[in-house]
Amino acid sequence: MANQNVRGWRRLIYAFGYSMAGFKVCFEAEEAFRQELFLLMFLAPLGLWLGETPIERVLLVGCLLIVLIVELLNSAIEANVDRVGMERHELSARAKDIASAAVFMSFALTVLTWGLILLPKWF
């Protein structure tokens, strides 16, 4: 592991740099991440505006952030599987499909959350 001897604030600074590098790589390489980030940029302010209580605002925006988190993990899994080999293997396909299903479930959570909070206000 890199920088094992680094402690304290320097470790946090290094960790922040690695995180930003991860965001950059995912943004550049993954179209799905860019699309979800665009949705977050549009829907997060809308969720803050439409939520009437702090809890509603956290739920509306938080589930959008969960989609991005799961997409980052999905991208990491796919990159790891592709590193092992590009040939078709049942376990590789299973790992990618399960990671993709996790992204789908995070979207389902978002739709459910937004629907349960906002639909009763309009109907």
Side-chain angles (χ1 to χ4, degrees):
M1 193 148 60
N3 299 316
Q4 289 180 348
N5 296 326
V6 177
R7 302 257 190 261
W9 286 105
R10 284 183 55 210
R11 186 190 68 76
L12 292 175
I13 291 169
Y14 282 130
F16 180 78
Y18 297 140
S19 295
M20 292 304 104
F23 279 125
K24 182 181 179 202
V25 165
C26 198
F27 184 83
E28 291 172 350
E30 300 292 334
E31 183 177 358
F33 183 77
R34 290 190 300 271
Q35 292 168 343
E36 292 155 0
L37 190 60
F38 174 77
L39 282 175
L40 174 77
M41 290 170 39
F42 173 72
L43 292 176
L46 188 62
L48 292 172
W49 181 60
L50 293 174
E52 292 179 359
T53 67
I55 296 297
E56 286 183 353
R57 290 183 190 109
V58 165
L59 289 170
L60 291 171
V61 175
C63 61
L64 297 170
L65 292 172
I66 288 173
V67 171
L68 284 181
I69 292 166
V70 176
E71 184 62 49
L72 286 166
L73 295 171
N74 176 45
S75 298
I77 290 168
E78 287 184 353
N80 231 356
V81 168
D82 290 345
R83 180 189 179 277
V84 171
M86 295 304 289
E87 69 278 354
R88 179 102 173 126
H89 190 279
E90 178 186 343
L91 293 176
S92 296
R94 186 184 309 175
K96 286 183 167 191
D97 290 346
I98 291 169
S100 179
V103 174
F104 175 80
M105 292 303 296
S106 69
F107 270 114
L109 173 66
T110 299
V111 170
L112 179 67
T113 302
W114 280 66
L116 289 175
I117 291 174
L118 298 179
L119 286 178
K121 295 177 183 189
W122 296 329
F123 295 107

